[in-house]
Amino acid sequence: QSALTQPASVSGSPGQSITISCTGSSSDVGAYDYVSWYQHHPGKAPKLMIYDVTNRPSGVSNRFSGSKSDNTASLTISGLQAEDEADYYCSSYASGSTLYVFGTGTKVTVL
Amino acid sequence: QVQLQESGPGLVKPSQTLSLTCSVSGGSISSDGNYWTWIRQHPGKGLEWIGFISYSGNPYSNPSLKSRITISLDTSNNQFSLKLSSVTAADTAVYYCARRVRSTYYFDSWGQGTLLTVSS
């Protein structure tokens, strides 16, 4: 099972919206609505931001939203804030023996 | 919300067996429906799912690592552990423990991670 493909970096100015893509295959992202997104500030525990493609856990800002089309999932951050600067990883449940695959990670920079 | 904290030796020599522990607080490790997971991140790379053990002690591992992995529960100390045998430099990574709940497909709680370096 190959890793999901994400852009290495995405940047935006405060207040802007950015979108991070996560491209997989018909065996993972395209097969299930079980894509999740994690925010990771280095040295801290990763934090669940989106689950099941579009759902936000309690306490996560509604500036974060998720979507999916075919084999590509996306995370959109609207109203970008300085605190959003972090690494973001997608994950998907997958068919086969490797049950979970992760993305390559995207570094978000707030200009 | 449960909290997880990894611990490990930091440095292991090639061919040895690494042993990591994840201490769980805020909930019982044997609570019904919890799946305790190990995930790692190689330097500068993305995340890799290693495997999990269920609340009842049933393990499941990534096939790419399965022959070298042992995941176990320590209910008396509310911990679970990862043993990875015959380590090489390719096993150098930050190792995270996390929780998944039954009938969900995401990891809702994570530890901060512990760096393990394989070097002679």
Side-chain angles (χ1 to χ4, degrees):
Chain A
Q1 201 78 27
S2 300
L4 308 177
T5 301
Q6 299 179 231
S9 62
V10 173
S11 62
S13 299
Q16 286 187 328
S17 293
I18 62 169
T19 297
I20 303 168
S21 61
C22 169
T23 301
S25 70
S26 57
S27 298
D28 38 63
V29 175
Y32 307 97
D33 287 335
Y34 295 140
V35 175
S36 52
W37 289 90
Y38 303 89
Q39 178 190 65
H40 186 213
H41 289 104
K44 296 193 174 182
K47 177 183 178 183
L48 175 68
M49 305 301 285
I50 296 286
Y51 67 93
D52 296 352
V53 179
T54 61
N55 296 309
R56 275 188 314 276
S58 174
V60 171
S61 171
N62 59 9
R63 298 185 298 104
F64 291 83
S65 61
S67 62
K68 191 187 86 166
S69 177
D70 297 326
N71 296 339
T72 298
S74 298
L75 173 71
T76 298
I77 308 175
S78 58
L80 200 61
Q81 299 180 0
E83 68 206 49
D84 301 331
E85 188 162 291
D87 297 321
Y88 291 82
Y89 294 90
C90 60
S91 177
S92 175
Y93 182 74
S95 60
S97 301
T98 303
L99 300 181
Y100 295 92
V101 289
F102 285 92
T104 49
T106 298
K107 181 175 181 58
V108 168
T109 300
V110 181
L111 301 172
Chain B
Q1 189 79 324
V2 296
Q3 294 188 326
L4 299 92
Q5 178 66 58
E6 307 87 348
S7 59
L11 179 65
V12 177
K13 291 181 174 7
S15 80
Q16 290 187 338
T17 295
L18 81 82
S19 181
L20 300 174
T21 297
C22 182
S23 298
V24 178
S25 59
S28 171
I29 199 166
S30 53
S31 290
D32 191 14
N34 287 327
Y35 291 80
W36 305 102
T37 303
W38 288 99
I39 295 161
R40 70 181 180 180
Q41 182 175 28
H42 294 103
K45 303 290 187 181
L47 299 166
E48 178 185 24
W49 176 76
I50 296 172
F52 66 77
I53 188 162
S54 73
Y55 59 97
S56 57
N58 294 317
Y60 188 95
S61 303
N62 188 323
S64 68
L65 299 167
K66 187 175 183 179
S67 63
R68 299 196 291 132
I69 283 180
T70 302
I71 302 177
S72 58
L73 285 182
D74 178 2
T75 55
S76 60
N77 289 304
N78 217 41
Q79 299 174 336
F80 64 104
S81 66
L82 169 70
K83 292 187 190 300
L84 181 62
S85 63
S86 305
V87 297
T88 69
D91 295 309
T92 294
V94 175
Y95 287 76
Y96 297 94
C97 56
R99 183 186 75 165
R100 181 182 71 84
V101 174
R102 179 171 52 206
S103 300
T104 70
Y105 300 88
Y106 52 87
F107 308 99
D108 66 345
S109 298
W110 294 65
Q112 291 185 322
T114 185
L115 174 63
L116 184 96
T117 302
V118 179
S119 174
S120 56

